[in-house]
Amino acid sequence: MADKIGIYVCHCGSNIAGTIDVEEVARWAGKNIGDVVVSKDYKFLCSSLGQQMIEDDIRSEGLTGVVVGACSPHLHEKTFRNACKRAGLNPFLCQMTNLREHVSWVNSDKAAGTKKAKALIFAAAERVKRQKPLEPMEVEVNPATLVVGGGIAGLQATLELADAGYLVYLVEREPSIGGHMAQFDKTFPTLDCSACILTPKMSEVGQHENVTMFTYSELEEVSGSVGNFKVKIRKKARYVDYDKCTGCGICTEKCPRKVIDDVFEAGMGYRKAIYSPFPQAVPRIPVIDAENCTWFTRGKCRVCSKVCPTDAVDYDQKDEIVELNVGNIIMATGWKLFDCKRIPQYGFGRLANVYTNMEFERLCNAAGPTSGKIVMRDGKTEPKSVAIVHCVGSRDVNSNPYCSGVCCMAALKFGHLVLEKTKAEVYSFYIDMRTPMKDYEEFYQRLLEEGMHFVRGKVAEVTDAARKPDEKGKLIVQVEDTLLGKQRRIPVDMVILMGGLEPQADAKELGLKCGISCSMAGWYTERHPKLDPVATMTDGVFVAGVCQGPKDIPAAVAQGAAAAARVAGMIAKGTVTIEPIVASIDEEGCSGCRICNNLCPFNAIEYDEEKKVSRVITALCKGCGTCVAACPAGVITGAHFNNEQIFAEIDGILWDAKPQAEVEIASV
């Protein structure tokens, strides 16, 4: 049967028509490309009228293929495929070519742009003639979900799904859920008590009948695909029997060994060798720190075992691997604080009264080591002047070029707390003040009224080298005040460094286990930054919270709920549709070299030890073509991207070069 191709070129307002003669492209295509029976231009093809035009032509002309020259397929490929499907044409016989981003937006010469658009339309037409009908695949979805990370985003996602009646497995590497929010004193801009907001959610998760928690545990391995993931979780040895322990706290109280708490207290306080991170911890089951426990290091003590009324202490406990089956995974692994020692000129770790923002959070927290009193390192002297330095490790080409998003507001919060609790002068050294969310600007104006001093300029140095008598015994902040246009030296008693947010150190490693990638900065990459910010390129794996990029608590909560909604929708439907654009291996020709196994970025190729051949896991494959290109035997084929289709597309894009090439060959 002869091909009948329909070509449709979109004006996209002036986005495309501004630098491409759209009418000329459509007219030319109808006259010069073989098998084209319809060639039209339209102002907005993605509109309902534009789609209806395509559907009507498919029915009336009996089109066997459709070419749409418009914007990015990421934006509207699904739109035009659905239009073809409604008209009875297999959606995979529709080919989009990107005239907006690939021509119009990168070009100012209308004649050159029109010529390039013709080449792209010609290439798409030649390709679509060789495309085959494909049918999407459906797989059943296991209603259980794995949430990795017990911070506020992970807790929100867990509760949304559990309240909907679905089973949730929550994995948290620390002994308690809560994340960084559990360390905070107040939350901006309302100055609500962080613990008052967070602990009810923690308690609800801990008691929920549909939630199984794995605290002090880590994700070890992920296999399978959307709808049916198989995961292995390593439950680290607590050396306390979870079922026997009542959380009475006697073991912690009697333990004679104290160590600096570098995690929850950010090095500002102490904990015991057997401990719960904080009084409201969920679960209340303590953990023995084997590296600091006297029994494990010297073979002496055993006080905790002797005083435990339920004989819950078990020094012989080992790590345990738990295997689970889940249908979807939500990654909510959070962030870590920038190491302020990486900017040595600010003096952190060298000058006693230079604090990080997390240290100050614990300092001014009512449940912190000083019971909320703002004092210097000696534990008793109240500062008379405080400097807050913004953008430490953020917006800096030498560390992180991105803005951490929350530091300006956290700095304003710290300024308010210092002014509220002391009579100190507070200086805020900022590059730009960023207060874009609801009521944030109002909070900034409040601090101006409260008397906080704002100095616009990037701090060059924090030093204790005095030049004047009034600088002796002080920390001197050296800064260029860009509003006054001069250098300033401001002596203060305390400096707070607003360290930026960074991805977790093992984010890339953990992402590889789940088949998702990271940005250059290390944040997890979403499927689309605007249209799909919670999904990833691996179906069934979603991201929520700061692991996807810097954001404040409301945004993290919203993203956690959004990820849960996406998962709940898949569970309610019962099945999920997978695109059929995948690779396939001709097992008869496979030599078992396993090159494809090692190269697949989605871990979608398994090796059959018995048959000595590789096999594609269809549900995991994304059709990227890496294996197709790498196979030395040439026995891997990519559906929708086979050699015939690709070569036809190349041949089509070179339409204007072919006559000249033929002349040159004839003259030889």
Side-chain angles (χ1 to χ4, degrees):
M1 186 179 89
D3 289 308
K4 292 184 178 182
I5 308 301
I7 291 179
Y8 302 89
V9 188
C10 184
H11 289 247
C12 197
S14 60
N15 273 310
I16 295 175
T19 49
I20 296 174
D21 188 341
V22 173
E23 293 91 342
E24 166 61 16
V25 172
R27 184 198 60 78
W28 173 89
K31 288 185 176 182
N32 294 277
I33 302 177
D35 302 319
V36 173
V37 296
V38 177
S39 185
K40 297 179 179 179
D41 63 277
Y42 196 76
K43 287 291 183 183
F44 294 100
L45 277 173
C46 60
S47 67
S48 58
L49 292 175
Q51 294 178 57
Q52 189 62 50
M53 179 182 69
I54 296 173
E55 293 177 39
D56 291 343
D57 287 347
I58 292 172
R59 295 187 183 99
S60 62
E61 299 293 338
L63 299 182
T64 61
V66 168
V67 172
V68 177
C71 54
S72 168
H74 280 294
L75 191 61
H76 278 306
E77 185 174 58
K78 187 175 181 180
T79 300
F80 295 113
R81 281 184 176 177
N82 285 338
C84 292
K85 185 178 180 180
R86 288 193 297 269
L89 182 68
N90 187 282
F92 293 92
L93 298 178
C94 173
Q95 178 67 20
M96 276 195 78
T97 187
N98 191 347
L99 301 185
R100 189 178 70 177
E101 282 89 332
H102 289 177
V103 185
S104 184
W105 283 1
V106 294
N107 173 66
S108 58
D109 186 330
K110 194 160 188 174
T114 301
K115 186 176 181 180
K116 184 178 178 182
K118 290 177 181 178
L120 290 175
I121 291 290
F122 202 127
E126 291 302 308
R127 185 191 208 288
V128 80
K129 294 174 190 177
R130 292 157 179 82
Q131 288 178 189
K132 306 295 183 185
L134 299 175
E135 294 299 331
M137 299 167 284
E138 287 195 346
V139 296
E140 292 187 4
V141 177
N142 186 322
T145 302
L146 177 72
V147 177
V148 184
I152 186 60
L155 293 179
Q156 186 67 32
T158 298
L159 283 175
E160 295 281 353
L161 288 167
D163 287 344
Y166 304 124
L167 181 63
V168 182
Y169 299 106
L170 176 61
V171 177
E172 167 57 45
R173 66 170 50 169
E174 296 299 328
S176 169
I177 57 176
H180 286 295
M181 190 175 170
Q183 297 174 276
F184 298 162
D185 179 37
K186 298 285 197 299
T187 59
F188 56 76
T190 54
L191 297 175
D192 293 301
C193 170
S194 182
C196 299
I197 303 170
L198 179 68
T199 51
K201 282 188 178 292
M202 292 170 55
S203 178
E204 191 176 350
V205 167
Q207 298 173 15
H208 208 293
E209 61 182 0
N210 291 328
V211 178
T212 302
M213 289 195 309
F214 295 94
T215 53
Y216 205 51
S217 303
E218 296 194 22
L219 185 62
E220 190 81 2
E221 184 181 315
V222 178
S223 59
S225 56
V226 58
N228 187 28
F229 289 105
K230 297 177 181 178
V231 298
K232 292 182 180 179
I233 298 167
R234 177 178 294 275
K235 289 179 64 177
K236 294 182 284 187
R238 285 178 176 264
Y239 305 109
V240 175
D241 191 307
Y242 200 99
D243 296 322
K244 290 182 179 179
C245 180
T246 61
C248 65
I250 295 175
C251 55
T252 301
E253 180 185 340
K254 299 297 183 181
C255 177
R257 179 82 166 120
K258 277 188 177 183
V259 296
I260 295 174
D261 188 350
D262 289 321
V263 181
F264 188 79
E265 295 291 356
M268 295 293 291
Y270 291 86
R271 61 165 171 78
K272 298 293 185 68
I274 182 169
Y275 70 101
S276 287
F278 52 100
Q280 300 85 10
V282 176
R284 288 273 295 161
I285 313 301
V287 172
I288 294 180
D289 177 3
E291 292 184 3
N292 290 291
C293 175
T294 307
W295 170 253
F296 283 100
T297 57
R298 294 162 52 189
K300 299 179 180 179
C301 189
R302 295 178 69 96
V303 168
C304 54
S305 177
K306 295 173 183 175
V307 300
C308 180
T310 60
D311 294 324
V313 177
D314 181 4
Y315 298 115
D316 298 322
Q317 197 176 76
K318 304 293 182 186
D319 288 3
E320 180 185 351
I321 300 296
V322 179
E323 297 187 12
L324 303 170
N325 291 317
V326 297
N328 294 277
I329 299 172
I330 297 176
M331 302 294 288
T333 52
W335 55 277
K336 72 178 181 69
L337 186 68
F338 173 78
D339 182 3
C340 294
K341 290 181 181 178
R342 289 168 56 188
I343 306 181
Q345 60 267 36
Y346 287 170
F348 178 67
R350 177 171 52 86
L351 302 175
N353 290 304
V354 177
Y355 294 78
T356 67
N357 42 348
M358 193 56 73
E359 286 181 331
F360 190 76
E361 284 282 4
R362 298 310 303 157
L363 189 68
C364 63
N365 194 305
T370 63
S371 300
K373 294 179 181 178
I374 298 176
V375 292
M376 296 197 288
R377 296 282 185 186
D378 62 9
K380 57 184 179 180
T381 306
E382 190 175 277
K384 295 181 179 179
S385 53
V386 177
I388 303 174
V389 181
H390 293 230
C391 298
V392 180
S394 303
R395 302 184 66 194
D396 187 338
V397 294
N398 298 311
S399 51
N400 297 309
Y402 56 81
C403 173
S404 290
V406 298
C407 310
C408 285
M409 287 299 296
L412 294 175
K413 178 186 74 172
F414 289 162
H416 170 80
L417 293 174
V418 172
L419 291 169
E420 183 181 60
K421 295 184 177 185
T422 72
K423 296 179 180 179
E425 292 279 328
V426 182
Y427 298 87
S428 177
F429 298 91
Y430 69 100
I431 302 174
D432 295 295
M433 189 61 64
R434 298 187 169 181
T435 56
M437 298 302 182
K438 182 179 179 182
D439 296 333
Y440 283 13
E441 182 65 19
E442 181 184 345
F443 193 66
Y444 169 53
Q445 295 298 327
R446 175 179 176 178
L447 265 296
L448 285 172
E449 294 170 4
E450 288 180 1
M452 189 170 175
H453 304 296
F454 291 90
V455 180
R456 188 178 186 273
K458 188 174 178 64
V459 171
E461 182 184 23
V462 177
T463 180
D464 60 352
R467 294 182 187 174
K468 301 175 183 178
D470 63 338
E471 294 179 351
K472 288 185 178 180
K474 300 278 188 176
L475 296 172
I476 300 94
V477 179
Q478 179 77 40
V479 63
E480 179 188 5
D481 190 326
T482 59
L483 295 181
L484 296 179
K486 68 176 186 180
Q487 290 283 335
R488 296 179 65 183
R489 286 172 62 86
I490 300 177
V492 296
D493 295 321
M494 177 187 289
V495 174
I496 305 167
L497 303 180
M498 302 305 298
L501 310 187
E502 288 190 329
Q504 294 283 11
D506 62 346
K508 184 176 181 180
E509 177 187 347
L510 194 58
L512 287 173
K513 291 178 181 178
C514 300
I516 63 176
S517 59
C518 296
S519 67
M520 292 297 292
W523 306 109
Y524 288 138
T525 304
E526 62 287 318
R527 185 182 289 272
H528 192 285
K530 295 179 179 65
L531 302 178
D532 207 348
V534 298
T536 67
M537 291 303 292
T538 296
D539 291 336
V541 180
F542 299 86
V543 289
V546 185
C547 66
Q548 184 253 342
K551 54 181 65 69
D552 59 12
I553 291 170
V557 170
Q559 198 173 19
R566 292 289 295 275
V567 171
M570 295 170 67
I571 297 171
K573 187 178 178 183
T575 60
V576 61
T577 302
I578 301 174
E579 277 209 352
I581 302 175
V582 295
S584 59
I585 299 175
D586 179 3
E587 295 187 12
E588 291 186 5
C590 179
S591 65
C593 67
R594 304 185 72 169
I595 290 175
C596 57
N597 299 66
N598 297 324
L599 288 177
C600 179
F602 301 100
N603 298 318
I605 303 178
E606 61 183 357
Y607 184 71
D608 189 324
E609 293 285 356
E610 185 177 336
K611 294 184 178 180
K612 305 297 182 186
V613 296
S614 293
R615 186 179 297 111
V616 175
I617 304 171
T618 305
L620 280 179
C621 180
K622 296 300 170 189
C624 69
T626 302
C627 58
V628 178
C631 180
V635 297
I636 306 181
T637 303
H640 208 59
F641 289 92
N642 62 36
N643 288 346
E644 182 186 9
Q645 293 162 353
I646 297 298
F647 288 139
E649 192 169 9
I650 294 171
D651 192 52
I653 209 166
L654 297 174
W655 69 273
D656 58 333
K658 283 188 288 186
Q660 180 64 30
E662 291 168 4
V663 170
E664 291 175 358
I665 292 170
S667 63
V668 175

